[in-house]
Amino acid sequence: MKRTIAWWVFLLMTVVAAPLQAQDAGKVTLERLFASGDFRGGFFGPARWMEDGGYTTLEFTANRRAREIVRYDPETGAREVLVTAAQLTPEGADQPLWISGYQWSEDGSKLLIFTNTRRVWRSNTRGDYWVLDLETKDLKQLGGHAEEATLMFAKFSPDGGRVGYVQGNNIYVENLESGDIVALTDDGSEWIVNGTSDWVYEEEFFLRDGFRWSPDGERIAYWQFDTEGVPWFTMINNTDSLYPTLIEFPYPKAGETNSAVKVGVVSSKGGDTRWIEFEGDPRNNYIPRMEWAANSEDLVIQRLNRLQNTNWLTLAEAKNGDARTIVTETDGAWLDVVEDLNWLGDGGRFTWVSERDGWRHVYIVSRNGGRSRLVTPGEFDVVSIQHIDEDGGWLYYIASPENPTQRYLYRMPLDGSGAAERLTPADQPGTHSYQISDDARFAFHTYSRFGMPSTIELVRLPGHEVVRTLVDNAQLKATIAGLDRGAFRFFRVDNGEGVMLDGYEMRPPDFDSSKQYPVLFHVYGEPWGQTVRDAWMGSNYLWHLMLTQQGYIVMSIDNRGTPAPRGREWRKVVYKKIGVHASADQAAAVREVGTWAYVDAERIGIWGWSGGGSMSLNVIFRFPELYNTAMAVAPVPDVRLYDTIYQERYMGLPQDNPREYEQSSPVTFADRLQGNLLIIHGTGDDN
């Protein structure tokens, strides 16, 4: 129930009746927002830190028809073009390859280029791959006689002599010197998927790349999906040709049959697969994460039960498939997959993230799971681990203990001694993200605020001194500053139970406190998204600013259950009551806002997308006396209609909780509707 990619369609449709104005530097119009390029910002990267301490990034050539790979020295700024457009031009071609992604071999002598990409569901994960040898200057396309744009997830072997990739649901390894291609699997089909994932794993666990080289290059571990038995969903494609065609794919709705998923290990030279042995039904347990466990003998695997309230972290032996559980994490509601598992030293310890004490904290756990030590104590949430500097003894992480709308960089001694140190300057409130170099001496730092576009800098750590500005977005900032903008503020409102909810308010440029204004709320409200953030919101911000220029106040409230860093209880109180507590919190906020003198309580509207569309339906159905209008984009009116992994995570199984599913579904209360309701949905929306 996340935002779909049809974002722009909705923005156009919902204001189609608004008069299109002539260009005015102070006004946001549809032409300016979608066609003019006035609000296009600068960009940087993708950048890669290199082992020698430098970094590479992509930059346009002088004629802007191609991009080259350039290396920089972070200290001096010395610039060197490592890969030119000429080197990226295949023999007989008149144009260089367009680099959509790139990867260096471990020794830096070869470059793997991803180009000519195609979209697979949400992301462009299918395309062509080429390898450039920087010593010989040879540029070679991978895949042999494979059809155009059919390779996926190519990556170098550790020694750089081979490349593994997925094609047609099978895994292949290509020798770069001889050109020989070895098929590691041959059973890939419409039903059997090797080396990538099915629709629901990609959508909800973000699992796309489904195979891993062992550190010594001798083995490859991979996921296999057996989708037979999963109910198929059918969509009508009305746009690609004169006559409509059908699109069908396995889509397990809540309570229905999942794919059977398993992990296997095969020699990178070919042979039989050794499957990891787990107890239980593979269709009723999930394997969302798998990596090599800091050696070439063991895999570390996260395995969730279907209810997703137990995570068994296991070590599995590659040679015989035996698996043993080293950590068992449980929760009365649900568990999120741990993304920040990092091996320390020689593999004797690893980092683990848990909410076991009520807050999301980092622990260091021994390899056998016997010892666990808390590294980040305190009543706050670690949002994410940014870097581990073992030589210096530091853990770098993102958190915001005082203000859940913001994000800052902290570091803490790995041994847990001493106090946390905030590295983000105190005079820069807002949202900060970092890409830290291997030696933790430098970082790419991105900083923004609400209504203020991002600045990207190279900073020196730990002092956070700015070495140079990479993207200042000066032109965009000047354009934004020249717009007619009213006052903006963050605020808090009581939900009636003593819990303070975060919100923001955007007022019209000519705001008059003696008048009353209609208010449009923007909502998401589910565990997947937080709308009240002190960060640049791009087109979303500009869209709402356009509405304030037409005389509306725009507000947003984060109810309980949204993923704000406010502790486990905040996030998980909505378990099995997804539409109940959240809509009650939204309604409580509206009741309070409706008492403000400048608010017209008879003209309260709300809109949202996906989960926000569902929430818009929930509030106008459940609290018709409060809302005059709702716009619901791509909502899920009946939560039984959504996929297994997302919906069952927060609601349990519909077979076990039919009453909870009924009470959490907006459609149950549709007969209460009194106001105006606009529902928008795309027939080509696979989500």
Side-chain angles (χ1 to χ4, degrees):
M1 297 168 69
K2 285 78 64 186
R3 177 182 294 166
T4 67
I5 64 162
W7 171 244
W8 308 113
V9 176
F10 170 68
L11 297 185
L12 287 168
M13 290 179 65
T14 53
V15 294
V16 70
L20 301 183
Q21 305 173 28
Q23 290 294 336
D24 182 333
K27 301 299 182 184
V28 180
T29 64
L30 289 178
E31 297 99 326
R32 294 190 74 189
L33 190 53
F34 298 110
S36 70
D38 285 0
F39 304 116
R40 185 179 298 122
F43 59 89
F44 170 72
R48 306 280 189 268
W49 286 106
M50 304 187 75
E51 288 189 3
D52 64 6
Y55 66 88
T56 61
T57 187
L58 294 176
E59 293 185 359
F60 279 102
T61 55
N63 62 13
R64 301 190 67 82
R65 293 180 180 176
R67 294 197 292 180
E68 300 176 320
I69 297 182
V70 181
R71 181 195 182 277
Y72 283 91
D73 183 295
E75 193 71 62
T76 67
R79 179 180 185 272
E80 175 189 6
V81 179
L82 287 187
V83 181
T84 67
Q87 291 173 297
L88 293 170
T89 305
E91 185 177 353
D94 57 3
Q95 291 292 330
L97 299 174
W98 178 262
I99 302 177
S100 297
Y102 70 97
Q103 174 194 144
W104 294 104
S105 61
E106 286 190 12
D107 64 2
S109 67
K110 297 182 183 71
L111 178 71
L112 182 62
I113 302 157
F114 184 39
T115 187
N116 191 28
T117 66
R118 302 288 191 275
R119 186 165 164 242
V120 179
W121 306 123
R122 283 187 181 264
S123 301
N124 283 39
T125 54
R126 187 163 53 83
D128 295 328
Y129 284 91
W130 296 68
V131 171
L132 174 66
D133 189 315
L134 271 66
E135 296 176 358
T136 66
K137 310 304 181 187
D138 288 339
L139 181 64
K140 175 185 177 182
Q141 184 173 4
L142 301 179
H145 299 292
E147 293 183 13
E148 178 187 9
T150 58
L151 271 58
M152 306 175 72
F153 314 120
K155 42 184 147 331
F156 284 114
S157 61
D159 65 3
R162 295 173 293 166
V163 172
Y165 50 78
V166 174
Q167 198 263 337
N169 287 340
N170 281 311
I171 303 171
Y172 298 85
V173 169
E174 183 166 343
N175 187 295
L176 296 179
E177 182 176 356
S178 67
D180 293 339
I181 300 174
V182 177
L184 303 189
T185 66
D186 60 9
D187 56 351
S189 67
E190 183 180 32
W191 306 106
I192 301 297
V193 179
N194 296 301
T196 182
S197 69
D198 66 359
W199 184 94
V200 71
Y201 262 66
E202 174 176 325
E203 174 68 22
E204 306 301 357
F205 287 141
F206 302 105
L207 179 63
R208 296 176 174 91
D209 177 357
F211 75 94
R212 306 286 185 267
W213 282 97
S214 64
D216 63 6
E218 294 299 314
R219 298 183 175 104
I220 282 181
Y222 67 96
W223 278 266
Q224 183 186 85
F225 289 74
D226 181 354
T227 66
E228 189 168 12
V230 179
W232 280 49
F233 196 89
T234 302
M235 297 190 303
I236 300 177
N237 182 349
N238 291 300
T239 60
D240 285 354
S241 59
L242 184 61
Y243 291 94
T245 58
L246 298 181
I247 301 172
E248 294 183 304
F249 59 99
Y251 183 103
K253 295 185 180 184
E256 297 297 322
T257 302
N258 281 316
S259 297
V261 183
K262 55 186 178 180
V263 166
V265 180
V266 64
S267 168
S268 60
K269 298 178 179 62
D272 294 334
T273 296
R274 169 69 70 179
W275 300 106
I276 305 302
E277 299 177 2
F278 289 115
E279 295 181 355
D281 183 353
R283 295 187 185 274
N284 289 312
N285 291 278
Y286 298 113
I287 305 178
R289 295 294 179 268
M290 173 271 292
E291 301 288 344
W292 289 93
N295 61 30
S296 298
E297 306 302 323
D298 300 321
L299 296 171
V300 60
I301 298 172
Q302 293 184 54
R303 186 166 173 263
L304 297 169
N305 64 336
R306 180 151 180 171
L307 292 179
Q308 299 175 70
N309 56 19
T310 302
N311 187 349
W312 297 282
L313 183 69
T314 63
L315 283 181
E317 296 183 45
K319 63 181 180 181
N320 58 27
D322 291 345
R324 67 184 188 282
T325 300
I326 57 174
V327 174
T328 301
E329 195 81 33
T330 61
D331 194 285
W334 72 84
L335 291 167
D336 295 314
V337 174
V338 175
E339 304 290 1
D340 291 317
L341 192 158
N342 302 277
W343 291 96
L344 304 177
D346 59 359
R349 301 174 300 156
F350 59 89
T351 58
W352 184 251
V353 178
S354 171
E355 294 179 334
R356 63 187 62 165
D357 68 353
W359 299 91
R360 186 184 293 124
H361 282 309
V362 179
Y363 295 79
I364 292 181
V365 182
S366 62
R367 187 179 183 90
N368 63 9
R371 296 185 304 278
S372 177
R373 175 169 52 80
L374 175 63
V375 181
T376 58
E379 294 187 351
F380 74 95
D381 284 317
V382 171
V383 175
S384 63
I385 292 177
Q386 292 295 289
H387 187 71
I388 296 174
D389 176 16
E390 282 199 81
D391 292 338
W394 293 101
L395 169 74
Y396 293 80
Y397 61 91
I398 296 292
S400 186
E402 285 80 36
N403 189 332
T405 72
Q406 300 174 340
R407 301 290 186 271
Y408 302 110
L409 180 65
Y410 289 79
R411 72 173 184 175
M412 185 80 178
L414 270 173
D415 62 9
S417 63
E421 177 184 359
R422 174 170 154 169
L423 302 185
T424 302
D427 62 354
Q428 291 186 358
T431 294
H432 302 256
S433 62
Y434 297 81
Q435 185 180 343
I436 300 176
S437 63
D438 293 344
D439 58 10
R441 294 179 59 228
F442 297 95
F444 305 127
H445 166 231
T446 302
Y447 165 51
S448 73
R449 297 209 67 185
F450 194 96
M452 185 187 81
S454 299
T455 297
I456 306 176
E457 305 166 328
L458 176 67
V459 298
R460 184 180 288 106
L461 298 178
H464 213 281
E465 300 92 358
V466 177
V467 179
R468 70 186 61 90
T469 299
L470 303 170
V471 176
D472 62 12
N473 269 323
Q475 180 58 54
L476 177 58
K477 290 176 182 176
T479 301
I480 299 298
L483 297 174
D484 297 334
R485 298 194 289 178
F488 163 81
R489 70 183 181 109
F490 286 102
F491 63 90
R492 280 195 157 187
V493 61
D494 196 316
N495 75 339
E497 301 176 18
V499 178
M500 303 304 292
L501 309 175
D502 289 294
Y504 72 69
E505 176 186 11
M506 300 172 64
R507 295 178 178 176
D510 57 353
F511 177 78
D512 183 345
S513 61
S514 67
K515 297 181 179 180
Q516 287 192 322
Y517 293 85
V519 178
L520 177 66
F521 282 86
H522 175 224
V523 67
Y524 186 78
E526 295 216 353
W528 209 258
Q530 181 183 356
T531 59
V532 184
R533 295 183 56 205
D534 192 0
W536 173 240
M537 301 296 186
S539 59
N540 212 8
Y541 168 79
L542 294 165
W543 160 250
H544 286 143
L545 180 61
M546 181 173 66
L547 295 181
T548 68
Q549 292 178 350
Q550 296 180 18
Y552 295 91
I553 290 175
V554 176
M555 296 188 189
S556 188
I557 299 290
D558 274 335
N559 51 257
R560 289 172 297 171
T562 54
R566 298 187 61 172
R568 178 199 174 279
E569 182 63 22
W570 166 271
R571 290 185 290 274
K572 297 184 178 178
V573 68
V574 297
Y575 185 56
K576 294 185 180 180
K577 298 181 183 297
I578 283 292
V580 180
H581 288 323
S583 60
D585 281 356
Q586 292 288 331
V590 168
R591 290 191 188 96
E592 173 62 26
V593 167
T595 67
W596 297 352
Y598 56 84
V599 169
D600 185 347
E602 298 300 315
R603 292 190 292 167
I604 301 290
I606 191 167
W607 86 276
W609 196 295
S610 193
S614 303
M615 197 60 61
S616 297
L617 294 180
N618 264 315
V619 297
I620 200 169
F621 291 162
R622 295 171 191 265
F623 304 98
E625 74 281 6
L626 298 178
Y627 295 89
N628 173 269
T629 297
M631 296 182 290
V633 191
V636 179
D638 186 337
V639 295
R640 292 172 299 182
L641 301 178
Y642 203 55
D643 71 65
T644 52
I645 294 178
Y646 184 94
Q647 208 62 64
E648 293 170 9
R649 179 187 300 154
Y650 308 121
M651 291 294 301
L653 289 167
Q655 297 93 322
D656 299 337
N657 308 297
R659 175 67 174 171
E660 284 81 359
Y661 269 74
E662 179 186 55
Q663 291 300 302
S664 288
S665 295
V667 71
T668 303
F669 306 93
D671 61 335
R672 300 181 185 178
L673 175 65
Q674 296 177 16
N676 309 306
L677 174 61
L678 172 65
I679 298 177
I680 302 172
H681 202 83
T683 60
D685 179 5
D686 60 279
N687 187 33

